[in-house]
Amino acid sequence: MNLNSEDEPEGIASRVSRIRGNPDAIVGDLDDFASNGWRVGPLPSPRYTTEIAKRVESLRRRFAWISSVEASTIVDSNDSDALNHLEVLRTSAPLIAVSDAGKWELPVFQFDREAGVVIPIVAYANRKMKAATDPWGALSWWETPIRLGGGKTPLELLAGGGLNEQFIDNVFASYRLGM
């Protein structure tokens, strides 16, 4: 892997998707980072990288995914610049997107296909979680039961119409307070 000054931290973080089935890949990436002048902390243990790989693979299996090309036709079906618009949505955090072999994939639940939009409350929650910098963490949040939601996951609340900005603000306030 060659690194240059154009490599972004989020691009580096997204390389975690390469470790599926190969937990040693992240160690190789860290060695490459260090040899190119990037500061690297202690290397994670093989057990830890194996657990990361298992969690990433588990998340991949539990969600339906679409390509960035398909997602761009949902949000901008008549726009010749649809992929650029989708890139803006991805980098400004309203969309969870992960790179797999250099191609962006997005979980389907974020889109209202009939209306041709990113679901506004999903975009709101993803911004709160800074999904552009931690897409796997954001994706994990969507399937984690929330006490304030009666033990339901945000995905369940979304499907049932029980997710709104005030609820999300309250959830994140409770996180800050350590509740």
PDB file of all heavy atoms in Angstrom, residues 49-74:
ATOM      1  N   THR A  49      -7.515  -7.939  16.738  1.00  0.00           N
ATOM      2  CA  THR A  49      -7.804  -7.729  15.322  1.00  0.00           C
ATOM      3  C   THR A  49      -8.752  -8.803  14.805  1.00  0.00           C
ATOM      4  O   THR A  49      -9.579  -8.530  13.938  1.00  0.00           O
ATOM      5  CB  THR A  49      -6.525  -7.678  14.465  1.00  0.00           C
ATOM      6  OG1 THR A  49      -5.773  -8.869  14.663  1.00  0.00           O
ATOM      7  CG2 THR A  49      -5.688  -6.464  14.798  1.00  0.00           C
ATOM      8  N   THR A  50      -8.659 -10.017  15.344  1.00  0.00           N
ATOM      9  CA  THR A  50      -9.601 -11.065  14.965  1.00  0.00           C
ATOM     10  C   THR A  50     -11.008 -10.685  15.409  1.00  0.00           C
ATOM     11  O   THR A  50     -11.977 -10.872  14.668  1.00  0.00           O
ATOM     12  CB  THR A  50      -9.193 -12.423  15.582  1.00  0.00           C
ATOM     13  OG1 THR A  50      -7.891 -12.754  15.098  1.00  0.00           O
ATOM     14  CG2 THR A  50     -10.172 -13.515  15.230  1.00  0.00           C
ATOM     15  N   GLU A  51     -11.140 -10.124  16.603  1.00  0.00           N
ATOM     16  CA  GLU A  51     -12.457  -9.694  17.093  1.00  0.00           C
ATOM     17  C   GLU A  51     -13.011  -8.565  16.230  1.00  0.00           C
ATOM     18  O   GLU A  51     -14.204  -8.531  15.943  1.00  0.00           O
ATOM     19  CB  GLU A  51     -12.375  -9.261  18.566  1.00  0.00           C
ATOM     20  CG  GLU A  51     -12.146 -10.413  19.524  1.00  0.00           C
ATOM     21  CD  GLU A  51     -13.197 -11.508  19.393  1.00  0.00           C
ATOM     22  OE1 GLU A  51     -14.406 -11.191  19.348  1.00  0.00           O
ATOM     23  OE2 GLU A  51     -12.801 -12.679  19.303  1.00  0.00           O
ATOM     24  N   ILE A  52     -12.162  -7.628  15.815  1.00  0.00           N
ATOM     25  CA  ILE A  52     -12.612  -6.550  14.927  1.00  0.00           C
ATOM     26  C   ILE A  52     -13.107  -7.148  13.619  1.00  0.00           C
ATOM     27  O   ILE A  52     -14.176  -6.787  13.125  1.00  0.00           O
ATOM     28  CB  ILE A  52     -11.480  -5.532  14.660  1.00  0.00           C
ATOM     29  CG1 ILE A  52     -11.140  -4.756  15.928  1.00  0.00           C
ATOM     30  CG2 ILE A  52     -11.889  -4.566  13.542  1.00  0.00           C
ATOM     31  CD1 ILE A  52      -9.900  -3.896  15.793  1.00  0.00           C
ATOM     32  N   ALA A  53     -12.348  -8.046  13.060  1.00  0.00           N
ATOM     33  CA  ALA A  53     -12.732  -8.669  11.792  1.00  0.00           C
ATOM     34  C   ALA A  53     -14.065  -9.391  11.927  1.00  0.00           C
ATOM     35  O   ALA A  53     -14.923  -9.298  11.043  1.00  0.00           O
ATOM     36  CB  ALA A  53     -11.647  -9.635  11.319  1.00  0.00           C
ATOM     37  N   LYS A  54     -14.271 -10.087  13.031  1.00  0.00           N
ATOM     38  CA  LYS A  54     -15.537 -10.789  13.248  1.00  0.00           C
ATOM     39  C   LYS A  54     -16.701  -9.804  13.358  1.00  0.00           C
ATOM     40  O   LYS A  54     -17.779 -10.032  12.817  1.00  0.00           O
ATOM     41  CB  LYS A  54     -15.461 -11.643  14.516  1.00  0.00           C
ATOM     42  CG  LYS A  54     -14.617 -12.882  14.366  1.00  0.00           C
ATOM     43  CD  LYS A  54     -14.570 -13.636  15.683  1.00  0.00           C
ATOM     44  CE  LYS A  54     -13.689 -14.857  15.600  1.00  0.00           C
ATOM     45  NZ  LYS A  54     -13.576 -15.543  16.908  1.00  0.00           N
ATOM     46  N   ARG A  55     -16.487  -8.698  14.066  1.00  0.00           N
ATOM     47  CA  ARG A  55     -17.552  -7.706  14.249  1.00  0.00           C
ATOM     48  C   ARG A  55     -17.903  -7.049  12.917  1.00  0.00           C
ATOM     49  O   ARG A  55     -19.078  -6.855  12.602  1.00  0.00           O
ATOM     50  CB  ARG A  55     -17.111  -6.648  15.269  1.00  0.00           C
ATOM     51  CG  ARG A  55     -18.128  -5.600  15.547  1.00  0.00           C
ATOM     52  CD  ARG A  55     -19.335  -6.189  16.237  1.00  0.00           C
ATOM     53  NE  ARG A  55     -20.263  -5.112  16.531  1.00  0.00           N
ATOM     54  CZ  ARG A  55     -21.562  -5.264  16.580  1.00  0.00           C
ATOM     55  NH1 ARG A  55     -22.112  -6.427  16.403  1.00  0.00           N
ATOM     56  NH2 ARG A  55     -22.333  -4.241  16.845  1.00  0.00           N
ATOM     57  N   VAL A  56     -16.893  -6.699  12.134  1.00  0.00           N
ATOM     58  CA  VAL A  56     -17.130  -6.083  10.823  1.00  0.00           C
ATOM     59  C   VAL A  56     -17.906  -7.044   9.935  1.00  0.00           C
ATOM     60  O   VAL A  56     -18.897  -6.671   9.298  1.00  0.00           O
ATOM     61  CB  VAL A  56     -15.795  -5.655  10.166  1.00  0.00           C
ATOM     62  CG1 VAL A  56     -15.981  -5.338   8.692  1.00  0.00           C
ATOM     63  CG2 VAL A  56     -15.209  -4.458  10.904  1.00  0.00           C
ATOM     64  N   GLU A  57     -17.487  -8.289   9.895  1.00  0.00           N
ATOM     65  CA  GLU A  57     -18.178  -9.285   9.072  1.00  0.00           C
ATOM     66  C   GLU A  57     -19.606  -9.496   9.554  1.00  0.00           C
ATOM     67  O   GLU A  57     -20.533  -9.619   8.754  1.00  0.00           O
ATOM     68  CB  GLU A  57     -17.407 -10.611   9.061  1.00  0.00           C
ATOM     69  CG  GLU A  57     -17.974 -11.627   8.111  1.00  0.00           C
ATOM     70  CD  GLU A  57     -17.987 -11.182   6.661  1.00  0.00           C
ATOM     71  OE1 GLU A  57     -17.098 -10.414   6.244  1.00  0.00           O
ATOM     72  OE2 GLU A  57     -18.914 -11.592   5.940  1.00  0.00           O
ATOM     73  N   SER A  58     -19.797  -9.511  10.847  1.00  0.00           N
ATOM     74  CA  SER A  58     -21.137  -9.669  11.411  1.00  0.00           C
ATOM     75  C   SER A  58     -22.049  -8.507  10.997  1.00  0.00           C
ATOM     76  O   SER A  58     -23.199  -8.711  10.606  1.00  0.00           O
ATOM     77  CB  SER A  58     -21.041  -9.755  12.934  1.00  0.00           C
ATOM     78  OG  SER A  58     -22.308  -9.828  13.515  1.00  0.00           O
ATOM     79  N   LEU A  59     -21.516  -7.292  11.070  1.00  0.00           N
ATOM     80  CA  LEU A  59     -22.306  -6.130  10.644  1.00  0.00           C
ATOM     81  C   LEU A  59     -22.628  -6.211   9.156  1.00  0.00           C
ATOM     82  O   LEU A  59     -23.739  -5.905   8.731  1.00  0.00           O
ATOM     83  CB  LEU A  59     -21.564  -4.831  10.955  1.00  0.00           C
ATOM     84  CG  LEU A  59     -21.576  -4.395  12.405  1.00  0.00           C
ATOM     85  CD1 LEU A  59     -20.611  -3.242  12.618  1.00  0.00           C
ATOM     86  CD2 LEU A  59     -22.972  -4.022  12.855  1.00  0.00           C
ATOM     87  N   ARG A  60     -21.667  -6.608   8.367  1.00  0.00           N
ATOM     88  CA  ARG A  60     -21.904  -6.732   6.920  1.00  0.00           C
ATOM     89  C   ARG A  60     -23.029  -7.713   6.623  1.00  0.00           C
ATOM     90  O   ARG A  60     -23.836  -7.484   5.744  1.00  0.00           O
ATOM     91  CB  ARG A  60     -20.634  -7.165   6.205  1.00  0.00           C
ATOM     92  CG  ARG A  60     -19.676  -6.043   5.959  1.00  0.00           C
ATOM     93  CD  ARG A  60     -18.699  -6.462   4.868  1.00  0.00           C
ATOM     94  NE  ARG A  60     -17.837  -5.384   4.525  1.00  0.00           N
ATOM     95  CZ  ARG A  60     -18.150  -4.419   3.677  1.00  0.00           C
ATOM     96  NH1 ARG A  60     -19.306  -4.407   3.079  1.00  0.00           N
ATOM     97  NH2 ARG A  60     -17.295  -3.458   3.408  1.00  0.00           N
ATOM     98  N   ARG A  61     -23.070  -8.822   7.355  1.00  0.00           N
ATOM     99  CA  ARG A  61     -24.100  -9.843   7.103  1.00  0.00           C
ATOM    100  C   ARG A  61     -25.482  -9.398   7.548  1.00  0.00           C
ATOM    101  O   ARG A  61     -26.482  -9.821   6.983  1.00  0.00           O
ATOM    102  CB  ARG A  61     -23.738 -11.145   7.812  1.00  0.00           C
ATOM    103  CG  ARG A  61     -22.679 -11.965   7.121  1.00  0.00           C
ATOM    104  CD  ARG A  61     -22.586 -13.368   7.724  1.00  0.00           C
ATOM    105  NE  ARG A  61     -22.494 -13.372   9.173  1.00  0.00           N
ATOM    106  CZ  ARG A  61     -21.352 -13.385   9.858  1.00  0.00           C
ATOM    107  NH1 ARG A  61     -20.205 -13.377   9.226  1.00  0.00           N
ATOM    108  NH2 ARG A  61     -21.358 -13.407  11.168  1.00  0.00           N
ATOM    109  N   ARG A  62     -25.570  -8.562   8.573  1.00  0.00           N
ATOM    110  CA  ARG A  62     -26.874  -8.209   9.147  1.00  0.00           C
ATOM    111  C   ARG A  62     -27.586  -7.077   8.423  1.00  0.00           C
ATOM    112  O   ARG A  62     -28.753  -6.825   8.712  1.00  0.00           O
ATOM    113  CB  ARG A  62     -26.712  -7.885  10.618  1.00  0.00           C
ATOM    114  CG  ARG A  62     -26.474  -9.138  11.450  1.00  0.00           C
ATOM    115  CD  ARG A  62     -26.688  -8.902  12.917  1.00  0.00           C
ATOM    116  NE  ARG A  62     -25.877  -7.867  13.494  1.00  0.00           N
ATOM    117  CZ  ARG A  62     -24.667  -8.043  14.010  1.00  0.00           C
ATOM    118  NH1 ARG A  62     -24.113  -9.220  13.996  1.00  0.00           N
ATOM    119  NH2 ARG A  62     -24.013  -7.051  14.560  1.00  0.00           N
ATOM    120  N   PHE A  63     -26.910  -6.401   7.534  1.00  0.00           N
ATOM    121  CA  PHE A  63     -27.538  -5.292   6.834  1.00  0.00           C
ATOM    122  C   PHE A  63     -27.577  -5.568   5.336  1.00  0.00           C
ATOM    123  O   PHE A  63     -26.699  -6.234   4.795  1.00  0.00           O
ATOM    124  CB  PHE A  63     -26.771  -3.983   7.082  1.00  0.00           C
ATOM    125  CG  PHE A  63     -26.961  -3.441   8.475  1.00  0.00           C
ATOM    126  CD1 PHE A  63     -26.126  -3.828   9.505  1.00  0.00           C
ATOM    127  CD2 PHE A  63     -27.981  -2.554   8.749  1.00  0.00           C
ATOM    128  CE1 PHE A  63     -26.296  -3.341  10.785  1.00  0.00           C
ATOM    129  CE2 PHE A  63     -28.168  -2.062  10.027  1.00  0.00           C
ATOM    130  CZ  PHE A  63     -27.324  -2.455  11.049  1.00  0.00           C
ATOM    131  N   ALA A  64     -28.597  -5.024   4.682  1.00  0.00           N
ATOM    132  CA  ALA A  64     -28.652  -5.065   3.217  1.00  0.00           C
ATOM    133  C   ALA A  64     -27.854  -3.869   2.709  1.00  0.00           C
ATOM    134  O   ALA A  64     -27.929  -2.772   3.281  1.00  0.00           O
ATOM    135  CB  ALA A  64     -30.103  -4.978   2.749  1.00  0.00           C
ATOM    136  N   TRP A  65     -27.102  -4.068   1.636  1.00  0.00           N
ATOM    137  CA  TRP A  65     -26.195  -3.042   1.123  1.00  0.00           C
ATOM    138  C   TRP A  65     -26.503  -2.726  -0.328  1.00  0.00           C
ATOM    139  O   TRP A  65     -26.963  -3.591  -1.071  1.00  0.00           O
ATOM    140  CB  TRP A  65     -24.744  -3.532   1.218  1.00  0.00           C
ATOM    141  CG  TRP A  65     -24.305  -3.783   2.621  1.00  0.00           C
ATOM    142  CD1 TRP A  65     -24.497  -4.913   3.345  1.00  0.00           C
ATOM    143  CD2 TRP A  65     -23.616  -2.881   3.476  1.00  0.00           C
ATOM    144  NE1 TRP A  65     -23.970  -4.779   4.602  1.00  0.00           N
ATOM    145  CE2 TRP A  65     -23.418  -3.541   4.703  1.00  0.00           C
ATOM    146  CE3 TRP A  65     -23.144  -1.577   3.320  1.00  0.00           C
ATOM    147  CZ2 TRP A  65     -22.768  -2.941   5.779  1.00  0.00           C
ATOM    148  CZ3 TRP A  65     -22.487  -0.981   4.387  1.00  0.00           C
ATOM    149  CH2 TRP A  65     -22.310  -1.664   5.593  1.00  0.00           C
ATOM    150  N   ILE A  66     -26.201  -1.483  -0.721  1.00  0.00           N
ATOM    151  CA  ILE A  66     -26.274  -1.088  -2.128  1.00  0.00           C
ATOM    152  C   ILE A  66     -24.992  -0.355  -2.486  1.00  0.00           C
ATOM    153  O   ILE A  66     -24.306   0.182  -1.615  1.00  0.00           O
ATOM    154  CB  ILE A  66     -27.504  -0.203  -2.439  1.00  0.00           C
ATOM    155  CG1 ILE A  66     -27.524   1.059  -1.570  1.00  0.00           C
ATOM    156  CG2 ILE A  66     -28.783  -1.002  -2.307  1.00  0.00           C
ATOM    157  CD1 ILE A  66     -28.648   2.023  -1.908  1.00  0.00           C
ATOM    158  N   SER A  67     -24.689  -0.334  -3.765  1.00  0.00           N
ATOM    159  CA  SER A  67     -23.491   0.372  -4.237  1.00  0.00           C
ATOM    160  C   SER A  67     -23.747   1.872  -4.243  1.00  0.00           C
ATOM    161  O   SER A  67     -24.899   2.327  -4.212  1.00  0.00           O
ATOM    162  CB  SER A  67     -23.138  -0.095  -5.645  1.00  0.00           C
ATOM    163  OG  SER A  67     -24.102   0.394  -6.564  1.00  0.00           O
ATOM    164  N   SER A  68     -22.679   2.634  -4.329  1.00  0.00           N
ATOM    165  CA  SER A  68     -22.826   4.091  -4.403  1.00  0.00           C
ATOM    166  C   SER A  68     -23.556   4.496  -5.683  1.00  0.00           C
ATOM    167  O   SER A  68     -24.305   5.473  -5.687  1.00  0.00           O
ATOM    168  CB  SER A  68     -21.468   4.782  -4.309  1.00  0.00           C
ATOM    169  OG  SER A  68     -20.614   4.346  -5.342  1.00  0.00           O
ATOM    170  N   VAL A  69     -23.369   3.741  -6.751  1.00  0.00           N
ATOM    171  CA  VAL A  69     -24.072   4.057  -8.008  1.00  0.00           C
ATOM    172  C   VAL A  69     -25.573   3.887  -7.816  1.00  0.00           C
ATOM    173  O   VAL A  69     -26.364   4.766  -8.191  1.00  0.00           O
ATOM    174  CB  VAL A  69     -23.551   3.172  -9.166  1.00  0.00           C
ATOM    175  CG1 VAL A  69     -24.411   3.345 -10.406  1.00  0.00           C
ATOM    176  CG2 VAL A  69     -22.094   3.493  -9.464  1.00  0.00           C
ATOM    177  N   GLU A  70     -25.985   2.773  -7.199  1.00  0.00           N
ATOM    178  CA  GLU A  70     -27.415   2.556  -6.961  1.00  0.00           C
ATOM    179  C   GLU A  70     -27.974   3.608  -6.002  1.00  0.00           C
ATOM    180  O   GLU A  70     -29.069   4.131  -6.208  1.00  0.00           O
ATOM    181  CB  GLU A  70     -27.666   1.155  -6.411  1.00  0.00           C
ATOM    182  CG  GLU A  70     -29.140   0.841  -6.285  1.00  0.00           C
ATOM    183  CD  GLU A  70     -29.419  -0.576  -5.798  1.00  0.00           C
ATOM    184  OE1 GLU A  70     -28.477  -1.379  -5.673  1.00  0.00           O
ATOM    185  OE2 GLU A  70     -30.604  -0.866  -5.545  1.00  0.00           O
ATOM    186  N   ALA A  71     -27.209   3.928  -4.941  1.00  0.00           N
ATOM    187  CA  ALA A  71     -27.657   4.947  -3.984  1.00  0.00           C
ATOM    188  C   ALA A  71     -27.821   6.297  -4.669  1.00  0.00           C
ATOM    189  O   ALA A  71     -28.766   7.036  -4.393  1.00  0.00           O
ATOM    190  CB  ALA A  71     -26.672   5.052  -2.827  1.00  0.00           C
ATOM    191  N   SER A  72     -26.912   6.616  -5.588  1.00  0.00           N
ATOM    192  CA  SER A  72     -27.007   7.913  -6.274  1.00  0.00           C
ATOM    193  C   SER A  72     -28.255   7.981  -7.150  1.00  0.00           C
ATOM    194  O   SER A  72     -28.829   9.058  -7.315  1.00  0.00           O
ATOM    195  CB  SER A  72     -25.749   8.191  -7.098  1.00  0.00           C
ATOM    196  OG  SER A  72     -25.663   7.326  -8.208  1.00  0.00           O
ATOM    197  N   THR A  73     -28.698   6.853  -7.690  1.00  0.00           N
ATOM    198  CA  THR A  73     -29.931   6.884  -8.503  1.00  0.00           C
ATOM    199  C   THR A  73     -31.163   7.043  -7.622  1.00  0.00           C
ATOM    200  O   THR A  73     -32.183   7.535  -8.091  1.00  0.00           O
ATOM    201  CB  THR A  73     -30.069   5.607  -9.369  1.00  0.00           C
ATOM    202  OG1 THR A  73     -30.182   4.474  -8.526  1.00  0.00           O
ATOM    203  CG2 THR A  73     -28.906   5.456 -10.320  1.00  0.00           C
ATOM    204  N   ILE A  74     -31.057   6.656  -6.355  1.00  0.00           N
ATOM    205  CA  ILE A  74     -32.194   6.854  -5.444  1.00  0.00           C
ATOM    206  C   ILE A  74     -32.335   8.325  -5.094  1.00  0.00           C
ATOM    207  O   ILE A  74     -33.422   8.887  -5.165  1.00  0.00           O
ATOM    208  CB  ILE A  74     -32.016   6.022  -4.150  1.00  0.00           C
ATOM    209  CG1 ILE A  74     -32.091   4.533  -4.469  1.00  0.00           C
ATOM    210  CG2 ILE A  74     -33.069   6.411  -3.112  1.00  0.00           C
ATOM    211  CD1 ILE A  74     -31.711   3.638  -3.299  1.00  0.00           C
TER     212      ILE A  74
END
